[in-house]
Amino acid sequence: MGSVLAASAPSPPPPGPGGAGLVSVPPGFTMPSVSPVSVTGGSINGQLETDHPLPNPGAFEECHRKCKEIFPMQMEGVRITVNKGLSNNFQVNHTALLSTLEDSSYRFGATYVGTKQTGPAEAFPVMVGDMDNSGSLNAQIIHQITDKVRSKLAFQTQQQKFVNWQGDAEFRGKDFTAAVTFGNPDVLVGSGIVIAHYLQAVTSSLALGGELVYHKRPGEEGTVMSLAGRYTGSNFIATLTLGGAGAHVSYYHKANDQLQVGVELEASTRMQDTSVSFGYQLDVPKANLVFKGSLDSNWVVGATLEKKLQPLPLSLALCAFLNHRKNKFQCGFGVTIG
């Protein structure tokens, strides 16, 4: 399928407290530096040594993503997805969802990937959209404007009515990332949301940053600020986000090539609620099998099983969640073709 499979649009990960999602971007540009030398009597008494420059820390909203990726995603009913590549740059998909709790639906999606290659698995511009049987549309356009600036425009409609839209701009320096997001701006009414992110690499392992969220609408105006710190070890990542909206702590650990575990603590000041979740992911490459499981402080147990039936272009997924407090059980089955 060419560059379509390699650069299909990523789904926005779940935002931190008061945050909004941006897409992931490639590692930042680095430049070697030269250590100082001493000169005595016209002779050099030292040697030129090249220091390792600080790496780009990535995007602010990606701080907790590595831990969240190992948690199972909840699914209900039967989902059938068919992916079809029409060319190296264009792909369409059909998704039918049969549910016992909500109305069944059908979605048609399309993905276009441009010819501007910025990496081994990245090409721009990327245009992604999908529409369901009720006429609701989700779409986004992602483009690498320069080597360091990336932009995204996303909008959503619900039955021919605009629900929200946002524009993002992200700048990647040698050892920092800065981004700004405008959400639902309305000059006539005087409403909208502005979100600013900044993440700075302090050392090769430690990154510090912050988030500022400003929202305004008739009769209401406010600002929420959050600070974040992330420490990356050889096989673990520890992240803390603390601000007016609450606190979010995550710890990701890669035990070996097959097992990954993660722990999350989320506290919301608005909801006055705190939850702790434990998740793990087990990969069995020889069997083309991925198993994910989770348990949280609300006594909700969940698990997903994904199996690729190679050499066939077919994948199966099983999902089950059990809420012990509410005595509620939910399960799902998915088939992906192509």
Side-chain angles (χ1 to χ4, degrees):
M1 305 254 297
S3 59
V4 170
L5 292 180
S8 59
S11 302
L22 289 176
V23 296
S24 60
V25 294
F29 297 90
T30 58
M31 181 178 296
S33 58
V34 180
S35 59
V37 296
S38 60
V39 179
T40 304
S43 63
I44 299 178
N45 295 330
Q47 295 181 350
L48 293 177
E49 296 180 358
T50 301
D51 295 333
H52 293 288
L54 294 177
N56 184 276
F60 181 90
E61 60 278 352
E62 293 179 352
C63 291
H64 298 278
R65 191 180 71 171
K66 193 67 176 178
C67 182
K68 285 185 174 294
E69 285 180 345
I70 68 174
F71 282 79
M73 297 297 294
Q74 195 164 355
M75 179 176 61
E76 189 272 330
V78 179
R79 185 185 63 191
I80 302 175
T81 302
V82 179
N83 298 317
K84 175 64 175 178
L86 303 181
S87 68
N88 290 335
N89 303 92
F90 193 67
Q91 171 183 313
V92 297
N93 61 80
H94 308 266
T95 301
L97 177 61
L98 307 177
S99 175
T100 58
L101 301 178
E102 300 177 355
D103 294 336
S104 299
S105 63
Y106 162 79
R107 304 191 72 91
F108 172 77
T111 302
Y112 171 79
V113 179
T115 57
K116 181 181 178 181
Q117 199 80 19
T118 59
E122 284 190 327
F124 295 93
V126 177
M127 291 182 286
V128 183
D130 65 81
M131 178 179 290
D132 63 14
N133 54 297
S134 66
S136 299
L137 174 68
N138 292 292
Q140 59 178 336
I141 302 174
I142 310 165
H143 187 54
Q144 189 81 23
I145 300 177
T146 67
D147 293 339
K148 297 182 179 181
V149 179
R150 178 177 296 187
S151 65
K152 185 182 78 169
L153 179 63
F155 61 91
Q156 179 183 9
T157 66
Q158 187 173 4
Q159 297 180 352
Q160 296 84 38
K161 295 182 180 180
F162 272 95
V163 177
N164 60 67
W165 72 277
Q166 72 174 45
D168 306 335
E170 186 177 72
F171 178 83
R172 289 222 167 191
K174 182 179 67 173
D175 56 359
F176 71 92
T177 300
V180 61
T181 301
F182 298 92
N184 293 337
D186 192 332
V187 180
L188 299 179
V189 180
S191 64
I193 300 176
V194 180
I195 304 172
H197 292 151
Y198 184 82
L199 193 61
Q200 172 73 52
V202 180
T203 67
S204 58
S205 300
L206 179 64
L208 301 176
E211 175 188 67
L212 180 64
V213 180
Y214 170 78
H215 67 277
K216 181 181 181 182
R217 60 184 179 181
E220 184 179 351
E221 183 178 5
T223 303
V224 180
M225 184 176 181
S226 301
L227 300 177
R230 184 189 65 200
Y231 186 86
T232 304
S234 58
N235 62 344
F236 70 91
I237 301 175
T239 308
L240 168 65
T241 303
L242 183 63
H248 187 185
V249 183
S250 67
Y251 178 81
Y252 164 84
H253 187 90
K254 184 176 182 180
N256 49 52
D257 293 337
Q258 288 77 39
L259 181 62
Q260 305 172 67
V261 297
V263 180
E264 275 193 317
L265 184 148
E266 295 184 84
S268 174
T269 55
R270 184 175 63 88
M271 301 296 296
Q272 296 295 313
D273 180 65
T274 302
S275 63
V276 180
S277 304
F278 169 78
Y280 64 93
Q281 176 177 321
L282 180 64
D283 295 88
V284 187
K286 293 183 178 180
N288 298 314
L289 189 69
V290 177
F291 182 84
K292 297 181 180 181
S294 66
L295 170 66
D296 62 23
S297 56
N298 295 319
W299 294 106
V300 178
V301 181
T304 59
L305 179 66
E306 300 176 5
K307 168 70 175 179
K308 293 183 179 180
L309 303 180
Q310 293 183 349
L312 299 176
L314 186 66
S315 299
L316 302 179
L318 296 175
C319 172
F321 276 77
L322 176 60
N323 191 325
H324 288 81
R325 288 186 175 179
K326 298 181 179 180
N327 292 324
K328 183 179 179 181
F329 176 74
Q330 188 174 352
C331 64
F333 174 72
V335 179
T336 302
I337 304 173

